């Protein structure tokens, strides 16, 4: 029975509907509508349509709870400052072409002084909106109240309805990167026998260089996941998840860099041996096997760091350990064969050494013991940074632990 494949448009549609942008549209719309309704109820009648409230809610509600809390205050500050500036200008000079220009200039200048950072343009935008619809000081103060209502609704919206955790898309992106690197290793193994045309080797080098762009995309997805884990009540071990994924991507990035250097070494060998085999037949056979094992190791590493379940994680770790063991055994055989070849034909001996060094570096980066050590160091470093940022909280925690110790010793 032939395999049934899902049409590409359907796949793209499903991907789009599960992206953060789709969730953000729904959340922002709901928050804006609620803020408008609350402002209409709270403000005394008669009053103009409280459009500043949904505007502020739109600005405050972010994809992640962490982004909401960290950027929401700055955005509220930007809107309030813009409203106050517009209220002052409307009371003094009214609306004209020169007062509008002066309002924008003043808003941009004061926006930098109050340190709203990337939201400086929103100070001027808020001022223009208020200046255009209201030239009465009392109405300007109503805009301030609308702003506070919108900000409160936006913050409560994300506190009560915590945004989703975007770990799964980030894990899929890291897994995809591992698969692409694994395919490259297998392709290198298939091409390494016999003569190796320079254009073919150069094409593989360019493909390895393009991994840099893939890593940038994966890093953006991971940053989204890291923000979604921070301060999110749905997550109990957010720091651990962030460190596992981040250090895993760092390892894959190092491997990608070394892989690029490895393809450059093979390209240089291809240029030096255009009229002959790149390696003797026995060396080529073992190198093909080595690259196949390294492909399994890279893919296994990506699976291990993105596997949430403990049992599945142990299984992935066992597969990685097996692939690394087979890679190292094959690497030793290749090293012995290359040494014999160099003694008989010493040309380009330095490229043989470089090839082995690059293989060793990748295997060392994927090593499970080194991975565990790196995780522990990173967790300790981040915990120390958190304690340094909150010394009073650390002191209070220390005192509480000290107060509990006597009871623990006397119990039971």
């Amino acid at each position: 029975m032939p395999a049934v494949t899902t049409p590409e448009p359907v796949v793209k549609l499903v991907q789009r509907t599960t992206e953060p942008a789709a969730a953000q549209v729904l959340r922002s719309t709901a928050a804006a509508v609620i803020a408008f309704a609350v402002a209409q109820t709270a403000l005394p009648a008669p009053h103009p349509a409280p459009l500043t409230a949904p505007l502020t809610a739109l600005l405050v509600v972010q994809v992640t709870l962490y982004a909401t809390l960290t950027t929401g205050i700055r955005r509220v500050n930007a809107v309030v400052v813009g409203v106050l500036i517009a209220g002052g200008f409307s009371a003094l000079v009214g609306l004209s072409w020169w007062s509008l220009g002066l309002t924008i200039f003043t808003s941009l200048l004061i926006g930098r002084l109050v340190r709203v950072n990337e939201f400086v343009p929103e100070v001027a935008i808020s001022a223009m909106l208020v200046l255009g619809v209201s030239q009465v000081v009392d109405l300007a103060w109503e805009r301030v109240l609308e702003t506070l209502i919108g900000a409160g609704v936006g913050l409560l919206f994300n506190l009560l309805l915590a945004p989703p955790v975007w770990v799964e898309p980030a894990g899929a992106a890291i897994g995809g990167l591992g698969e692409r690197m694994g395919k490259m290793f297998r392709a290198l193994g298939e091409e390494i026998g016999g003569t190796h045309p320079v254009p073919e080797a150069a094409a593989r080098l360019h493909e390895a260089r393009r991994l840099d762009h893939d890593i940038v995309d994966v890093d953006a997805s991971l940053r989204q996941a890291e923000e979604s884990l921070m301060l999110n009540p749905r997550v109990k071990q957010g720091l651990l998840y962030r460190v596992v994924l981040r250090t895993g991507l760092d390892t894959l990035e190092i491997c990608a860099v070394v892989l690029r250097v490895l393809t450059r070494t093979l390209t240089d060998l291809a240029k030096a041996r255009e009229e002959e085999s790149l390696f003797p037949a026995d060396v080529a056979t073992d190198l093909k096997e080595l690259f196949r094992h390294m492909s399994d190791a890279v893919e296994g590493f990506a699976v291990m760091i993105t596997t949430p379940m403990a049992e599945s994680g142990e299984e992935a770790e066992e597969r990685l350990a097996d692939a690394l063991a087979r890679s190292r055994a094959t690497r030793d055989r290749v090293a012995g064969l290359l040494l014999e070849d160099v003694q008989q034909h010493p040309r380009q001996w330095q490229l043989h050494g470089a090839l082995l060094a690059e293989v060793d570096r990748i295997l060392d980066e994927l090593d499970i013991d080194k991975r565990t050590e790196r995780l522990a160091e990173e967790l300790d470093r981040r915990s120390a940074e958190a304690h340094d940022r909150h010394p009073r909280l650390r002191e209070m925690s220390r005192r509480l632990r000290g107060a509990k110790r006597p009871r623990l010793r006397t119990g039971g």
Side-chain angles (χ1 to χ4, degrees), residues 42-123:
L43 293 174
H47 59 79
L51 296 178
T52 309
L55 168 66
T56 308
L58 283 173
L59 296 177
V60 170
V61 175
Q62 299 295 306
V63 178
T64 66
L65 181 61
Y66 176 77
T68 298
L69 295 175
T70 54
T71 65
I73 302 302
R74 294 200 301 274
R75 280 180 156 162
V76 171
N77 192 21
V79 174
V80 170
V81 170
V83 169
L84 293 176
I85 291 172
F89 273 93
S90 66
L92 295 174
V93 297
L95 177 60
S96 62
W97 66 267
W98 63 269
S99 66
L100 177 64
L102 188 57
T103 300
I104 295 173
F105 176 82
T106 305
S107 298
L108 295 176
L109 182 61
I110 294 179
R112 295 183 182 279
L113 294 177
V114 298
R115 297 182 179 180
V116 293
N117 298 341
E118 69 270 29
F119 305 123
V120 169
E122 292 179 11
V123 179

Side-chain angles (χ1 to χ4, degrees), residues 102-164:
L102 188 57
T103 300
I104 295 173
F105 176 82
T106 305
S107 298
L108 295 176
L109 182 61
I110 294 179
R112 295 183 182 279
L113 294 177
V114 298
R115 297 182 179 180
V116 293
N117 298 341
E118 69 270 29
F119 305 123
V120 169
E122 292 179 11
V123 179
I125 293 172
S126 301
M128 286 189 293
L129 286 175
V130 174
L131 194 63
V133 300
S134 173
Q135 297 183 26
V136 182
V137 176
D138 291 340
L139 293 180
W141 286 109
E142 286 188 4
R143 298 298 178 184
V144 174
L145 181 57
E146 293 174 19
T147 300
L148 296 177
I149 292 173
V153 170
L155 290 172
L156 287 174
F157 195 84
N158 267 2
L159 286 172
L160 298 177
L161 300 175

Side-chain angles (χ1 to χ4, degrees), residues 222-351:
L222 180 54
R223 285 200 304 272
Q224 180 73 59
E226 288 174 326
E227 283 195 358
S228 72
L229 290 169
M230 297 176 68
L231 306 178
N232 197 317
R234 296 183 181 183
V235 182
K236 295 182 179 179
Q237 294 180 325
L239 176 60
L240 179 60
Y241 290 150
R242 296 200 308 272
V243 171
V244 167
L245 293 176
R246 174 56 62 185
T247 55
L249 179 59
D250 290 344
T251 297
L252 288 178
E253 184 175 1
I254 294 173
C255 291
V257 172
V258 181
L259 176 57
R260 183 170 69 241
V261 178
L262 189 150
T263 56
R264 180 56 188 263
T265 299
L266 292 176
T267 303
D268 291 342
L269 274 172
K271 291 178 180 178
R273 301 176 179 178
E274 292 188 68
E275 304 299 328
E276 57 182 311
S277 297
L278 195 63
F279 294 101
D282 53 350
V283 177
T285 299
D286 281 351
L287 274 176
K288 179 179 180 179
E289 181 181 349
L290 172 61
F291 287 148
R292 187 174 69 251
H293 295 326
M294 292 180 69
S295 171
D296 294 339
V298 169
E299 293 176 348
F301 180 86
V303 171
M304 183 186 71
I305 64 175
T306 56
T307 301
M309 300 300 294
E311 294 182 0
S312 301
E314 291 179 1
E315 183 180 345
E317 184 175 324
E318 290 175 359
R319 291 201 304 268
L320 172 60
D322 181 62
L324 288 173
R326 287 185 279 114
S327 296
R328 291 190 177 99
T330 310
R331 180 264 176 209
D332 292 341
R333 290 204 308 271
V334 169
L337 293 173
L338 285 176
L339 179 59
E340 295 176 3
D341 182 55
V342 166
Q343 290 173 344
Q344 298 176 4
H345 307 285
R347 295 177 305 118
Q348 293 89 42
W349 62 268
Q350 72 279 9
L351 294 178

